[in-house]
Amino acid sequence: MKMKQLKTIYQTSFLIGNIYTPKVLEDEALHQLLKTQFNALTAENIMKPALIQPKQATFTFDAADAMVDYASDHDFHVVGHTLAWHQQTLDWIDEAKTSREEALNLLREHLMEIMTRYKGKIISWDVLNEAIEDGVQQDTKAWRKHLRDTPWLRMIGEDYIQHVFHIAHELDPHAILYYNDYNLNNQQKREATYYMVKELKEAGVPIQGIGMQGHYHTNTPVQTVEESLALFTQLDGIEISVTELDVTVTGSEKATVLSTDHEIEQAQYYAQLFQIYKRYENSIKRITFWGTDDATSWRRERFPTLFNQDYSPKQAFHAIVDPDQFLKDHPLVERDTTQTAVATHGSPVLGVVQTWHQKHPLSVSRQLTAWEGATAKAYVMWDEVSLYLLADVSVATLNASAKEIHHKDSVDIYLNLMQEQSKNDQTDDHHITITFENEVSFNGKVDIKGFKSFATTTNNGYQVQVKIPVQKGLFVEQVIGFDLQVNDSNAHGVRQSMATWNDVSGRLGTSTAGFGKLRLTCAD
Ligand code: 9MR
């Protein structure tokens, strides 16, 4: 039976894209898959700043040239990705020694070489990538306060944003210029982005599109995606594209096979997304998937794409072919995704690993950011007067140069002792942050009397241990609201990722709704 073609099914709605990797030039089956299903290609990596200009004034265009030729030979639209980003940026720039004028020149030169070369061949550019920071909690209208602390921002100032769009427009006036970011379904990040784009647009900055990346998990509430579309479509003169869609269904731990249940659950999620996208088809220009198949995706351990390793279609593909029918055949069922775990009774001594009971690990691996960094395994113990936590963090590089503590490599601990009953008594509700260097913050609350902490580096990251005295006492079978977040700082001191045990909304700082549940047990 001939396989249905997504690009044909959605031809009156939006372009259907995927990533381009050089592999397609040698893999005939991959070429056939791209050609039959998709009509737009985004460079997954080869146009990124550090790859295309690895040394000052040395540009490596071969791979990008080959992509543009391939696309033109086979009638694909080409999307350029990306020009200004905080990751894989021009690492050879010495931030400390570069003046604003020099930085602006370097930015202009970078754009000039690339955009002039491909002028007229690129439908749209992801001009600015991921410029709003994570964890925005309030005051979203003041979007400048929420700009990510990036090398370009430090060297040029906040107006690097205006500059990069003006330069890009001058160089290729016909390309549609995008702001591209992940987690734009998050209410605060969505609002900050909305206000930023609105103000830029009204000030005459040539920005014409918002790219909602779309790195989701089946736990991501699907209505939050619709809420963002509803807001962004209020912006005049701004088109929307879904630029990097993929949906994971398992946790970060490596799994070897995708179970049938998970495959259906993922497909249902894709079906719901496409029902939403169809409702906004007048505003959505393109939907690009971030990966062709589960064997090569950047999140390959978690099966996020529409195709298996041999390019055969998964249920997710069938779900997108006909979302309504798929959801009729596979009706949604309510799922509770709240994590629950047990804390074991005992009083460990901080710094003495043998005294810790390491049997019931909490996996801190729900990634909140598109850049997937540090994760942790944590163990909680308790006695009648204190709660104890040991978190073993796996992370590649350690950095404490950021101003704010939770932008350093650190662990956030959230405690809501009495859960619902505690609204009027927050004596024992805490938000504690501890870095790999044992810097501690109680985030505005007074110090906890008797609190103790210990931190040490390990072969694959660092470990923190804390003792949190509890004034009201603890008792067996008590269930407490609890969460952990691991913050990963990159080599520039920019927080590049956050992973949690339970919450996926990014609102741990202001709401206990996303906390998981910890049960205090006596037994092992
Ligand atoms: O899929 C990309 C992966 O192969 C790279 O290793 C990684 C780092 O460059 O970037 C991935 O793509 C990112 C994209 O460029 C920007 N948004 C987030 C994507 C996932 O991290």
Side-chain angles (χ1 to χ4, degrees):
M1 201 178 65
K2 201 161 167 281
M3 209 161 119
K4 297 260 185 2
Q5 301 190 327
L6 297 180
K7 68 174 183 186
T8 314
I9 295 169
Y10 288 100
Q11 64 189 349
T12 57
S13 307
F14 14 72
L15 295 173
I16 298 283
N18 211 313
I19 54 169
Y20 170 92
T21 58
K23 184 174 182 233
V24 69
L25 303 177
E26 280 138 36
D27 183 339
E28 176 59 24
L30 178 58
H31 165 62
Q32 287 305 329
L33 180 80
L34 285 182
K35 222 176 84 157
T36 38
Q37 298 296 333
F38 305 98
N39 46 25
L41 293 175
T42 305
E44 183 185 21
N45 288 309
I46 57 178
M47 289 183 172
K48 287 177 178 166
L51 280 91
I52 212 161
Q53 194 186 175
K55 283 197 221 133
Q56 181 163 12
T58 302
F59 286 82
T60 46
F61 282 125
D62 289 357
D65 285 355
M67 168 182 176
V68 174
D69 289 347
Y70 171 82
S72 130
D73 290 348
H74 301 287
D75 288 332
F76 289 99
H77 295 285
V78 182
V79 177
H81 174 83
T82 177
L83 296 171
W85 194 22
H86 67 287
Q87 295 286 22
Q88 296 179 306
T89 190
L90 306 171
D91 287 328
W92 41 265
I93 298 181
D94 185 346
E95 259 183 64
K97 294 199 188 121
T98 310
S99 69
R100 171 179 156 91
E101 283 318 307
E102 283 161 348
L104 274 168
N105 281 338
L106 291 173
L107 183 65
R108 173 176 288 281
E109 275 158 29
H110 184 72
L111 266 62
M112 192 161 71
E113 287 291 328
I114 301 167
M115 294 189 75
T116 314
R117 190 174 187 95
Y118 300 121
K119 188 171 173 181
K121 297 181 178 166
I122 305 255
I123 52 165
S124 61
W125 271 105
D126 292 336
V127 173
L128 180 61
N129 214 35
E130 305 171 3
I132 305 272
E133 71 176 8
D134 295 296
V136 177
Q137 303 287 349
Q138 56 201 6
D139 209 5
T140 52
K141 206 164 185 178
W143 57 270
R144 284 188 176 78
K145 275 199 340 212
H146 307 302
L147 286 177
R148 196 188 288 275
D149 175 23
T150 73
W152 288 124
L153 176 94
R154 290 179 201 150
M155 291 183 293
I156 298 174
E158 281 163 8
D159 62 346
Y160 86 99
I161 289 184
Q162 282 91 316
H163 280 289
V164 71
F165 281 102
H166 279 297
I167 299 170
H169 184 61
E170 224 176 86
L171 293 167
D172 190 352
H174 297 296
I176 305 293
L177 307 183
Y178 269 72
Y179 174 66
N180 186 47
D181 209 339
Y182 59 83
N183 284 1
L184 291 188
N185 60 309
N186 169 287
Q187 190 191 338
Q188 284 67 32
K189 209 164 169 181
R190 158 207 307 157
E191 288 178 11
T193 302
Y194 169 84
Y195 288 120
M196 174 178 81
V197 175
K198 187 170 191 294
E199 191 184 314
L200 293 177
K201 189 85 199 160
E202 286 168 2
V205 175
I207 177 169
Q208 295 121 357
I210 296 182
M212 296 180 65
Q213 293 187 4
H215 295 296
Y216 302 130
H217 184 278
T218 50
N219 291 342
T220 314
V222 79
Q223 77 274 11
T224 60
V225 177
E226 177 149 24
E227 285 159 13
S228 295
L229 286 165
L231 184 68
F232 294 151
T233 49
Q234 291 173 25
L235 291 163
D236 282 337
I238 294 291
E239 66 177 44
I240 298 166
S241 283
V242 177
T243 49
E244 305 181 15
L245 181 60
D246 63 358
V247 180
T248 54
V249 63
T250 54
S252 277
E253 299 79 43
K254 211 173 166 74
T256 44
V257 279
L258 177 63
S259 69
T260 310
D261 285 354
H262 271 146
E263 188 172 346
I264 300 283
E265 182 186 319
Q266 176 189 50
Q268 289 168 319
Y269 194 87
Y270 272 114
Q272 293 177 81
L273 280 180
F274 271 75
Q275 286 183 326
I276 295 171
Y277 294 152
K278 278 284 284 178
R279 287 204 282 282
Y280 286 86
E281 63 180 16
N282 292 339
S283 308
I284 299 180
K285 172 76 184 169
R286 166 177 55 93
I287 296 184
T288 290
F289 294 89
W290 205 248
T292 46
D293 59 276
D294 282 353
T296 60
S297 152
W298 70 295
R299 301 203 280 183
R300 62 185 72 80
E301 296 87 11
R302 280 170 290 152
F303 317 97
T305 75
L306 309 186
F307 301 96
N308 295 304
Q309 173 160 22
D310 61 359
Y311 307 132
S312 58
K314 292 165 59 185
Q315 292 293 342
F317 173 83
H318 303 301
I320 295 175
V321 164
D322 190 343
D324 294 349
Q325 189 57 47
F326 192 87
L327 289 172
K328 264 192 209 125
D329 296 344
H330 303 90
L332 295 168
V333 279
E334 278 281 324
R335 287 181 303 120
D336 183 0
T337 57
T338 310
Q339 302 265 31
T340 55
V342 295
T344 321
H345 192 264
S347 314
V349 182
L350 300 200
V352 185
V353 167
Q354 302 85 310
T355 60
W356 285 85
H357 194 296
Q358 296 187 34
K359 269 207 184 141
H360 304 289
L362 280 69
S363 169
V364 188
S365 59
R366 290 188 168 175
Q367 299 281 353
L368 301 189
T369 48
W371 188 277
E372 303 205 344
T375 56
K377 286 246 170 308
Y379 304 88
V380 189
M381 293 178 69
W382 68 283
D383 59 27
E384 281 59 27
V385 287
S386 297
L387 200 71
Y388 305 84
L389 167 88
L390 178 155
D392 234 322
V393 182
S394 305
V395 60
T397 54
L398 294 175
N399 190 297
S401 64
K403 272 189 237 106
E404 290 184 62
I405 187 168
H406 50 273
H407 287 191
K408 304 178 184 187
D409 276 289
S410 59
V411 176
D412 281 308
I413 306 161
Y414 293 92
L415 260 187
N416 178 222
L417 232 58
M418 311 294 283
Q419 298 209 75
E420 280 313 294
Q421 299 98 302
S422 74
K423 286 211 173 87
N424 301 321
D425 178 3
Q426 299 182 341
T427 327
D428 290 316
D429 292 352
H430 299 298
H431 170 196
I432 303 158
T433 312
I434 171 165
T435 70
F436 68 97
E437 293 179 326
N438 203 12
E439 178 189 346
V440 174
S441 167
F442 298 102
N443 295 288
K445 260 186 120 175
V446 288
D447 297 6
I448 304 167
K449 205 160 167 274
F451 174 89
K452 287 206 175 92
S453 67
F454 167 88
T456 182
T457 51
T458 59
N459 286 340
N460 61 347
Y462 65 101
Q463 189 180 86
V464 294
Q465 299 178 20
V466 297
K467 173 185 181 182
I468 310 170
V470 173
Q471 288 186 32
K472 295 240 161 354
L474 295 166
F475 53 89
V476 69
E477 290 307 319
Q478 183 175 358
V479 176
I480 65 178
F482 183 76
D483 216 336
L484 291 172
Q485 176 171 306
V486 178
N487 305 301
D488 183 349
S489 177
N490 74 8
H492 298 284
V494 177
R495 180 167 63 178
Q496 62 180 356
S497 83
M498 309 184 301
T500 60
W501 176 50
N502 188 65
D503 180 78
V504 287
S505 74
R507 305 210 59 202
L508 282 175
T510 49
S511 162
T512 58
F515 286 21
K517 290 190 180 128
L518 201 60
R519 186 166 58 85
L520 311 185
T521 65
C522 242
D524 273 6

